[in-house]
């Protein structure tokens, strides 16, 4: 069976199980804000058509100014990217032929990018509770040039505590190891002050990448950026193709970043839904990760070996989960589910109750 490598392709996911879903489909496979793009975006689309016919400003002056203001940073410490994915592929180009460490299960694009640029990859595993193996990481670090950490981690939603990360960053400074912290989901965090950004001023061996694609639900447009020392940003900029960020994204970036009410509504929705889901899933005896963001891992606590059957049952009931077959260390043993709207999450719980009651 060939399963799609990423979520967000409900038809293909169902088809790979030899199934066809007719009627309404509930896509829980992509971890994108279900509130959809901010409502003002569709109103502005006619005006934005102008951006389609011209090359964007290659220096993206207005977008950088807005981002620098938003982050309270020098523009020279920032690099706008065509989503978090471009950032990952730019960073790996700084480590051609060197060695990297990832902690599995984690986002699969680090491995793809390392393979593309001939970077030797060492893997460690999260522990049983999906916590980071800090001591094992410290032991491996002298043998690697760069560590990729997803913070919070996709697909588990778990986080490496900042004090432990700082311990590793200090060691990295001593032995010359760079840390790439992927904060693609940081804007979903209930407590954004958990961001690694506060460590940037102290650790020049730190590169942070972020995505705005997920939080603003704009995967068809894409938006992301990096934060690092001026030196790293300069080197990364040299690798980036000109006009990499499209004109529409560049134009709307200042408005996106200042849309406080969209962010507030997102946090309020997420906090409420996460609490409801956690309580109900535990009551139904499903094993699920305690995630700090908008997705979580799930398997049946009573029938833990029946994840594939659960997958089929959900698809038959028009719910598309994300398989975990290509997450090393999970190998299909869990499903990843996005936190969706209140109505969709209620439907999921209804279907899971049906599964629980099935003979
Ligand atoms: C952890 C992580 N980093 C980066 C990305 C890529 O972000 P973008 O869609 O902005 O390219 C994703 C997308 O799924 C992701 O899950």
């Amino acid at each position: 069976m060939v399963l799609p490598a990423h979520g967000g392709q409900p038809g293909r996911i169902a088809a790979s199980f030899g199934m066809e879903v007719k009627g309404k489909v509930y896509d829980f496979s992509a971890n994108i804000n279900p509130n959809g793009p901010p409502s003002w975006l569709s109103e502005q689309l006619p005006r934005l058509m102008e951006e389609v016919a011209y090359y964007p400003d290659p220096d993206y002056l207005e977008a950088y100014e807005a981002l620098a203001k938003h982050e309270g940073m020098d523009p020279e410490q920032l690099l706008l990217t065509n989503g978090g994915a471009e950032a990952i592929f730019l960073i790996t180009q700084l480590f051609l032929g060197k060695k990297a460490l990832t902690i599995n299960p984690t986002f699969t694009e680090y491995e793809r990018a390392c393979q593309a640029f001939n970077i030797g990859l060492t893997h460690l595993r999260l522990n049983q509770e999906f916590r980071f193996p800090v001591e094992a990481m410290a032991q491996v670090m002298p043998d690697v040039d760069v560590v990729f950490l997803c913070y919070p981690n996709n697909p588990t939603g778990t986080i490496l505590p900042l004090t432990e990360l700082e311990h590793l960053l200090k060691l990295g400074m001593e032995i010359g190891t760079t840390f790439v912290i992927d904060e693609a989901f940081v804007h979903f965090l209930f407590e954004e002050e958990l961001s690694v950004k506060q460590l940037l001023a102290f650790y020049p061996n730190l590169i942070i990448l972020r995505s705005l694609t997920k939080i603003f639900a704009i995967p068809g447009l894409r938006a992301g950026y990096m934060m690092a020392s001026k030196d790293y940003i300069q080197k990364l900029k040299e690798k980036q193709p000109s006009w990499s960020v499209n004109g529409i994204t560049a134009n709307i970036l200042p408005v996106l970043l200042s849309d406080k009410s969209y962010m507030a509504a997102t946090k309020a929705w997420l906090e409420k839904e996460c609490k409801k889901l956690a309580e109900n899933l535990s009551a139904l005896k499903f094993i699920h990760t305690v995630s700090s963001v908008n997705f979580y891992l799930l398997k049946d606590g009573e029938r833990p070996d029946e994840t594939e059957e659960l997958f089929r049952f959900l698809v038959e009931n028009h719910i598309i989960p994300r398989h975990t077959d290509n997450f090393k260390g999970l190998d299909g043993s869990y499903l990843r589910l996005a936190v969706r709207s209140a109505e969709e999450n209620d439907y999921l719980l209804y279907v899971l109750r049906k599964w629980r009651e099935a003979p």
Side-chain angles (χ1 to χ4, degrees):
M1 180 166 33
V2 183
L3 288 161
H6 292 285
Q9 303 161 83
R12 282 187 58 198
I13 292 177
S16 55
F17 276 80
M19 300 167 86
E20 191 188 351
V21 189
K22 292 211 175 96
K24 184 164 170 54
V25 170
Y26 296 83
D27 185 7
F28 282 74
S29 70
N31 34 23
I32 289 171
N33 193 337
N35 297 311
S39 52
W40 51 260
L41 185 55
S42 56
E43 287 155 28
Q44 296 211 5
L45 276 180
R47 177 186 72 76
L48 291 167
M49 275 309 289
E50 225 173 84
E51 303 297 336
V52 175
Y54 296 96
Y55 278 96
D57 166 12
D59 298 321
Y60 301 106
L61 285 178
E62 280 178 27
Y64 271 104
E65 201 178 298
L67 184 60
K69 191 166 162 226
H70 179 77
E71 292 295 354
M73 284 176 71
D74 190 325
E76 288 177 22
Q77 282 192 273
L78 299 165
L79 186 64
L80 276 175
T81 59
N82 186 14
E86 187 196 25
I88 294 166
F89 274 71
L90 286 176
I91 292 166
T92 40
Q93 290 175 58
L94 299 187
F95 296 93
L96 291 183
K98 296 196 171 172
K99 294 195 177 130
L101 169 67
T102 61
I103 322 296
N104 290 321
T106 195
F107 188 46
T108 49
E109 290 292 298
Y110 313 136
E111 182 160 355
R112 262 195 78 221
C114 285
Q115 280 165 356
F117 295 105
N118 191 27
I119 296 170
L121 202 51
T122 300
H123 302 284
L124 285 173
R125 290 273 295 269
L126 297 176
N127 74 13
Q128 291 285 332
E129 288 84 40
F130 299 122
R131 301 283 154 207
F132 287 80
V134 177
E135 281 320 308
M137 289 168 73
Q139 275 171 25
V140 171
M141 275 170 58
D143 298 324
V144 302
D145 304 283
V146 56
V147 180
F148 285 92
L149 271 189
C150 193
Y151 182 100
N153 187 43
N154 177 6
T156 57
T158 49
I159 247 178
L160 172 64
L162 276 185
T163 47
E164 295 180 16
L165 175 62
E166 204 169 353
H167 162 71
L168 295 172
L169 281 167
K170 264 189 203 134
L171 175 63
M173 287 249 283
E174 284 160 25
I175 62 176
T177 309
T178 300
F179 274 75
V180 175
I181 308 291
D182 181 348
E183 290 196 335
F185 294 96
V186 78
H187 299 101
F188 287 100
L189 272 180
F190 307 137
E191 303 159 79
E192 247 179 78
E193 61 272 20
L194 284 176
S195 164
V196 176
K197 186 182 147 191
Q198 58 194 284
L199 301 179
L200 208 52
F202 309 101
Y203 297 97
N205 57 333
L206 177 58
I207 302 175
I208 299 175
L209 70 97
R210 289 182 170 181
S211 167
L212 297 173
T213 310
K214 316 276 185 185
I215 189 81
F216 288 109
I218 49 167
L221 281 179
R222 329 195 47 67
Y225 57 98
M226 284 193 256
M227 301 186 281
S229 68
K230 290 182 184 177
D231 189 38
Y232 262 137
I233 292 295
Q234 183 53 38
K235 287 188 180 129
L236 288 160
K237 213 172 220 168
E238 283 163 17
K239 306 277 178 206
Q240 188 176 39
S242 302
W243 311 289
S244 181
V245 176
N246 71 72
I248 295 182
T249 295
N251 188 294
I252 64 170
L253 198 88
V255 196
L256 276 182
L257 292 171
S258 61
D259 194 342
K260 299 236 169 13
S261 62
Y262 181 90
M263 293 297 264
T266 294
K267 300 242 172 178
W269 147 78
L270 187 60
E271 196 162 1
K272 190 160 167 239
E273 289 308 302
C274 279
K275 192 165 175 282
K276 175 178 85 185
L277 283 165
E279 284 170 8
N280 282 278
L281 293 172
S282 297
L284 283 168
K285 301 206 165 40
F286 282 90
I287 297 172
H288 58 95
T289 49
V290 181
S291 170
S292 37
V293 282
N294 60 323
F295 52 86
Y296 54 95
L297 290 176
L298 176 95
K299 71 176 169 185
D300 188 345
E302 296 198 333
R303 291 143 73 186
D305 299 329
E306 293 184 26
T307 300
E308 191 173 326
E309 288 80 353
L310 177 59
F311 194 120
R312 283 179 182 282
F313 186 81
L314 290 174
V315 174
E316 277 162 12
N317 285 279
H318 299 233
I319 288 174
I320 309 292
R322 165 72 158 91
H323 70 87
T324 58
D325 289 35
N326 62 340
F327 283 112
K328 282 200 170 81
L330 288 182
D331 309 307
S333 56
Y334 280 83
L335 301 176
R336 192 193 69 193
L337 291 159
V339 180
R340 301 286 308 166
S341 68
E343 183 208 12
E344 289 169 291
N345 296 329
D346 288 345
Y347 178 65
L348 170 74
L349 290 170
Y350 161 77
V351 172
L352 289 174
R353 245 173 246 122
K354 260 193 354 184
W355 160 266
R356 173 63 66 240
E357 285 156 14

